[in-house]
Amino acid sequence: MEKDIQKKIDELLSKMTLREKIGQLNQPETPTADKIEEFKDMVRKGEVGSILMSCGATAGNDAQGAINVEFYNKLQRIAVEESPNGIPILFGRDVIHGHNTVFPIPLAMTASFNEELIEKSFMDIAKEASNDSIHWTFTPMLDLARDPRWGRIIEGPGEDPYLGARVAVAAVRGLQGNNVSDKDKILACAKHYIGYGASEGGRDYHRTEITDYSLFNYYLPAFKGAVDAGALTVMSSFNDVSGQPVTSSRYYLTEILRNKLGFMGFVVSDYDAVSQLKKQGVAQDEEDCADMSLSAGLDMDMHDSVYLNNLEKSVKEKRISEDIIDTAVRRVLYVKFKKGLFDNPYCEKKEINRISHFEDALKMAEESIVLLKNDNGLLPLKKDKKVGLVGPFVHERRSLLGSWTLDGKESETRNIYEAMREKAPGKIEGITGVGLGWDSSVRCMFESDVVVLCLGESWTATGEHRAVSDISLTDDQKMLIKKAKQTGKKTVGVLFCGRPIEMQGIADNFDALILAWHGGNMCADAVANIIYGDCVPSGRMPMTAVRKATHIPLYYNVTSSGRPVNCYYGENAGDCYVDSLATPYYPFGYGLSYTEFRYSDIRCDNPQLSVDNIKNGKKFILSVDVENIGEYNSKETVQLYINDKVASMMRPIKELKGFKKILINKGEKVSVKFELGYEELGFYLSNGEYTVEPGEFSVYIGKNSLTNRSITIKII
Ligand code: NOJ
């Protein structure tokens, strides 16, 4: 900790009563109108360390009131001028993928494989949020997840730890910048620590079973990325890991997060998670809940006021020492000083020109879109073709924004009909109808040159507390696909989804298929640009798209069974289940372009290095030539995977360890270089020790996780 900050904290602490100290660990939500006076009194007494501005247990599902800056400034003035030590309040709100300007859902942002764009998006987000009194947001969500039934899959970076870590770094940098005390920066919160994405059956909040080996190698890397990038807060998760609720786990919150990852900021609980320990059956009463969580290393209590109501008694009865409270308070004050709250407690709202934010949101939406299928180059469409735009999403706006859109506006979101019509005036007929509207839909299809079916899932089928057991399209939508097929017209499918849906029986029926996600304010414009070739698609799957939901979990970085059956990579894949083929429909890293890229063989000038060399920072240097042999300038995401052939523990068949997204103009050939060293070639043993072992590695460089082009390197 910086000496000057430490000194200020010491001074403050020496003046604070126990009650005020506990107040710093208390995060109530914004009061309802009838409770405001009572709330002001709490602020006056120093009992409010932070305010949760996203109200309700599942805030992302409910309409939230717009932020009243004046109201928050008034509360802040009470804290600064009337509370005993004038400590400002930290205002926190869920700004998950956009504040006023809505960007694509985080899973889609990840699909862009474009860290600079992700960072830029979060800079815009921080700028808007900070202008609305927000100091702190509960983003990025970094839960590795392999089950698309889980509604919260939309909020995270998908199935890969390496990609998750790189996205984490980009998001934290964008939000916090180099100096989080700058007025247009806000504090990041890496959540939900840890293992939340592994909830059994994709059922939200359910138990998880995670060995330490998996924890270190799969679930922690994204959090390590965020901590290394300087994230100043972490949110603990609701779930238990193998019988230990994270909320009360000293092992996860202190031994691993602080002692191993070196986290310096404070940990906030999830909503009511402290009192939840009773229901989880590890605490007798609220006193127990408070004692257990605080002792475990959980510093701030979100919403349930269990700390505020119980910790004084715990100290008086000597169940908790005041030192433990001081430690937590120090962490909270440290973050407040880092944020510059003592110097700038108030929000001076100004007009923000959001034009560049919408431009960035458009770029982000375009780069997140994944072209899944394009038979015979159906796309891009010529603008003189008559398009029958049909399906329940033709006029839809709200779902395009996605879940956790607390401050975005439908009125700032065009629907796909409007966006397409602008591109090709007079050539688009748009029909929403299914059910009663069948006739008009079918007529519209017959009268068109090309059918574009706009399908997907509602935003209400995604997000918190919204797991689904069926990740296919509705029967109505399937019927529409069937009817389109019967017309014999060339058909493009556009999927507005929060998750990769079940593909069998759906993707097979289209000539071209676009995964547009819930892509934010500019989603429809991005799709129209892609359909007409004003933008060349470049998104890649951040998680596997399964043929059938019954194949879940299916993820690429799996270990070998050692037997001659391999679901993911195709070896006797028909034997995985006797009744269905369980290879991925679209694998991790997959996505098409309008152009073609030709890869050369992989080169490595130094294919052998010793363990000592590697530990001392030497790296394998690998390269590949990638040539654009098609008709369009386009970005390509060159992906590098490794396989540690023989190790002391089983290692994945493939693990992503590098990617580069680069623009390659048509006819151009570029040499793409990668370096592999200590950080990429080792792994964690079950005790958390990181090891780089001698032996051979296959290194694959190609278009997606199924690439076979490889070279062998050796550590001696
Ligand atoms: C519960 C959610 O799990 C978490 O992600 C969110 O940040 C908090 N509620 C606050 O709204």
Side-chain angles (χ1 to χ4, degrees):
M1 191 184 289
E2 299 85 332
K3 287 232 166 65
D4 54 329
I5 298 189
Q6 174 127 29
K7 199 164 154 240
K8 289 179 191 164
I9 294 175
D10 286 343
E11 273 168 26
L12 261 179
L13 260 183
S14 68
K15 293 188 279 179
M16 290 166 78
T17 62
L18 179 58
R19 184 77 184 161
E20 285 165 63
K21 289 179 185 172
I22 296 168
Q24 286 305 306
L25 312 182
N26 183 35
Q27 187 194 45
E29 65 186 14
T30 303
T32 46
D34 55 322
K35 297 266 167 53
I36 289 179
E37 290 312 312
E38 204 180 301
F39 194 85
K40 283 183 182 165
D41 269 349
M42 283 177 68
V43 174
R44 225 165 254 126
K45 286 193 253 163
E47 291 179 350
V48 178
S50 170
I51 294 179
L52 174 64
M53 307 158 100
S54 346
C55 301
T58 52
N61 302 346
D62 309 322
Q64 299 282 321
I67 292 175
N68 178 344
V69 171
E70 211 184 309
F71 169 73
Y72 286 102
N73 274 341
K74 270 190 193 148
L75 286 180
Q76 190 71 297
R77 200 165 294 284
I78 297 175
V80 171
E81 294 180 1
E82 300 177 40
S83 79
N85 284 292
I87 302 173
I89 304 169
L90 191 61
F91 298 131
R93 184 167 176 96
D94 293 281
V95 188
I96 306 299
H97 54 108
H99 183 53
N100 304 115
T101 312
V102 184
F103 289 74
I105 51 166
L107 185 63
M109 289 208 216
T110 307
S112 73
F113 278 72
N114 187 334
E115 296 153 287
E116 280 118 85
L117 205 49
I118 295 174
E119 184 172 338
K120 182 67 190 22
S121 305
F122 279 102
M123 278 170 71
D124 296 346
I125 291 169
K127 191 168 180 178
E128 290 180 11
S130 58
N131 193 40
D132 231 355
S133 303
I134 300 167
H135 307 125
W136 175 28
T137 183
F138 310 113
T139 308
M141 196 269 233
L142 300 173
D143 299 311
L144 181 132
R146 299 162 172 166
D147 194 330
R149 292 172 298 182
W150 191 43
R152 304 202 79 171
I153 198 103
I154 67 147
E155 293 172 52
E159 74 187 34
D160 185 63
Y162 177 84
L163 180 57
R166 291 201 29 190
V167 168
V169 172
V172 172
R173 280 199 189 135
L175 291 167
Q176 296 194 168
N178 292 329
N179 187 354
V180 72
S181 70
D182 287 349
K183 279 192 173 170
D184 55 2
K185 295 294 169 203
I186 57 176
L187 295 159
C189 180
K191 74 181 188 188
H192 308 82
Y193 177 87
I194 182 86
Y196 186 31
S199 62
E200 279 182 354
R203 297 191 286 277
D204 208 2
Y205 316 125
H206 266 248
R207 70 183 303 272
T208 74
E209 199 66 62
I210 305 175
T211 63
D212 275 358
Y213 183 55
S214 294
L215 185 90
F216 284 111
N217 289 293
Y218 287 107
Y219 292 92
L220 278 177
F223 286 91
K224 181 174 185 312
V227 169
D228 290 348
L232 281 164
T233 75
V234 164
M235 186 186 293
S236 55
S237 54
F238 285 125
N239 58 287
D240 71 281
V241 178
S242 313
Q244 271 192 64
V246 178
T247 311
S248 61
S249 168
R250 189 173 164 76
Y251 178 61
Y252 295 116
L253 295 181
T254 297
E255 289 174 31
I256 294 184
L257 181 63
R258 292 193 182 275
N259 302 350
K260 206 153 176 65
L261 299 193
F263 175 63
M264 294 279 292
F266 73 79
V267 177
V268 63
S269 75
D270 206 338
Y271 196 94
D272 289 347
V274 175
S275 56
Q276 181 188 308
L277 291 171
K278 269 189 305 176
K279 292 193 189 139
Q280 286 177 300
V282 294
Q284 195 69 40
D285 49 29
E286 293 209 338
E287 285 174 15
D288 251 4
C289 295
D291 296 354
M292 289 169 78
S293 307
L294 188 78
S295 314
L298 194 150
D299 307 303
M300 186 181 279
D301 173 13
M302 184 188 281
H303 186 256
D304 55 22
S305 303
V306 170
Y307 279 12
L308 189 72
N309 296 337
N310 295 282
L311 284 178
E312 258 179 309
K313 190 160 171 248
S314 303
V315 173
K316 284 190 186 123
E317 291 175 1
K318 300 208 175 341
R319 279 180 283 112
I320 288 281
S321 80
E322 192 161 343
D323 286 352
I324 302 187
I325 294 192
D326 285 357
T327 303
V329 177
R330 276 177 190 285
R331 293 173 184 150
V332 172
L333 292 177
Y334 174 67
V335 172
K336 289 189 174 183
F337 276 113
K338 290 291 279 184
K339 176 66 197 106
L341 263 195
F342 290 86
D343 296 328
N344 287 306
Y346 305 111
C347 174
E348 291 155 28
K349 195 167 167 90
K350 46 187 188 304
E351 270 311 302
I352 292 186
N353 181 347
R354 290 203 285 134
I355 291 175
S356 70
H357 296 187
F358 283 115
E359 285 166 2
D360 290 341
L362 176 64
K363 279 189 218 146
M364 191 76 246
E366 287 175 344
E367 293 214 14
S368 70
I369 288 173
V370 188
L371 179 64
L372 295 172
K373 187 174 182 183
N374 194 18
D375 287 355
N376 305 314
L378 174 61
L379 292 175
L381 296 184
K382 295 231 163 37
K383 289 185 180 154
D384 59 1
K385 291 258 189 270
K386 200 167 169 221
V387 173
L389 197 65
V390 178
F393 283 74
V394 169
H395 297 102
E396 176 64 21
R397 294 173 210 276
R398 177 61 190 89
S399 282
L400 271 46
L401 294 176
S403 183
W404 286 107
T405 303
L406 309 191
D407 299 274
K409 291 197 181 77
E410 276 183 60
S411 58
E412 293 184 336
T413 315
R414 292 210 295 180
N415 61 41
I416 185 73
Y417 176 59
E418 291 161 338
M420 292 282 286
R421 214 176 36 172
E422 188 186 77
K423 294 258 158 206
K427 294 289 175 192
I428 312 290
E429 187 182 2
I431 302 282
T432 295
V434 288
L436 288 176
W438 285 127
D439 288 352
S440 47
S441 299
V442 172
R443 183 208 33 83
C444 170
M445 292 194 236
F446 267 114
E447 287 172 8
S448 65
D449 298 323
V450 183
V451 175
V452 176
L453 288 190
C454 301
L455 311 172
E457 61 181 347
S458 161
W459 73 280
T460 59
T462 71
E464 188 180 352
H465 200 173
R466 281 175 170 166
V468 293
S469 61
D470 182 355
I471 57 163
S472 188
L473 296 175
T474 57
D475 289 347
D476 267 357
Q477 298 190 50
K478 285 184 185 158
M479 179 59 82
L480 209 52
I481 297 175
K482 209 168 161 188
K483 288 188 184 280
K485 188 109 189 141
Q486 284 163 357
T487 64
K489 302 280 176 177
K490 294 281 180 224
T491 306
V492 180
V494 183
L495 299 173
F496 297 95
C497 296
R499 46 169 73 81
I501 58 162
E502 180 176 281
M503 289 290 166
Q504 191 163 293
I506 292 172
D508 336 347
N509 289 311
F510 290 105
D511 300 287
L513 187 60
I514 292 170
L515 177 53
W517 309 103
H518 292 158
N521 282 137
M522 303 306 289
C523 182
D525 300 80
V527 172
N529 284 347
I530 282 184
I531 286 182
Y532 286 115
D534 294 334
C535 164
V536 178
S538 65
R540 301 289 180 261
M541 293 302 289
M543 62 182 301
T544 303
V546 293
R547 290 174 187 277
K548 287 160 73 87
T550 49
H551 298 158
I552 296 168
L554 189 67
Y555 51 95
Y556 88 96
N557 45 9
V558 65
T559 50
S560 164
S561 71
R563 306 296 298 171
V565 176
N566 184 324
C567 288
Y568 209 93
Y569 295 96
E571 211 180 317
N572 300 321
D575 296 351
C576 286
Y577 298 101
V578 290
D579 59 349
S580 69
L581 178 67
T583 50
Y585 203 105
Y586 295 117
F588 175 83
Y590 172 87
L592 301 175
S593 166
Y594 290 154
T595 195
E596 269 300 312
F597 294 102
R598 186 162 55 206
Y599 281 65
S600 73
D601 287 341
I602 304 165
R603 296 180 294 271
C604 180
D605 298 337
N606 58 342
Q608 196 159 300
L609 287 172
S610 69
V611 173
D612 281 347
N613 284 161
I614 303 250
K615 284 189 180 155
N616 291 329
K618 280 254 164 7
K619 294 183 174 188
F620 292 98
I621 313 286
L622 298 115
S623 61
V624 70
D625 294 337
V626 185
E627 187 176 2
N628 183 340
I629 55 170
E631 292 306 313
Y632 292 82
N633 301 337
S634 168
K635 288 187 177 170
E636 168 70 332
T637 301
V638 184
Q639 300 165 38
L640 180 147
Y641 297 84
I642 62 166
N643 170 243
D644 186 346
K645 290 189 188 176
V646 180
S648 56
M649 292 291 280
M650 287 169 68
R651 301 300 305 143
I653 296 172
K654 278 187 191 145
E655 316 173 62
L656 184 72
K657 289 295 175 181
F659 62 85
K660 290 201 170 150
K661 186 164 192 175
I662 32 177
L663 174 68
I664 310 180
N665 291 328
K666 60 180 175 180
E668 194 187 354
K669 187 190 321 187
V670 298
S671 170
V672 186
K673 199 170 108 182
F674 288 97
E675 295 186 352
L676 288 178
Y678 184 75
E679 290 204 4
E680 292 80 21
L681 293 167
F683 64 94
Y684 291 90
L685 300 168
S686 299
N687 62 6
E689 191 191 317
Y690 187 75
T691 176
V692 174
E693 295 181 347
E696 285 187 347
F697 291 73
S698 296
V699 181
Y700 300 83
I701 303 180
K703 292 172 198 281
N704 61 55
S705 57
L706 294 189
T707 182
N708 283 327
R709 185 177 295 100
S710 73
I711 193 172
T712 302
I713 58 173
K714 191 168 181 183
I715 300 180
I716 50 171

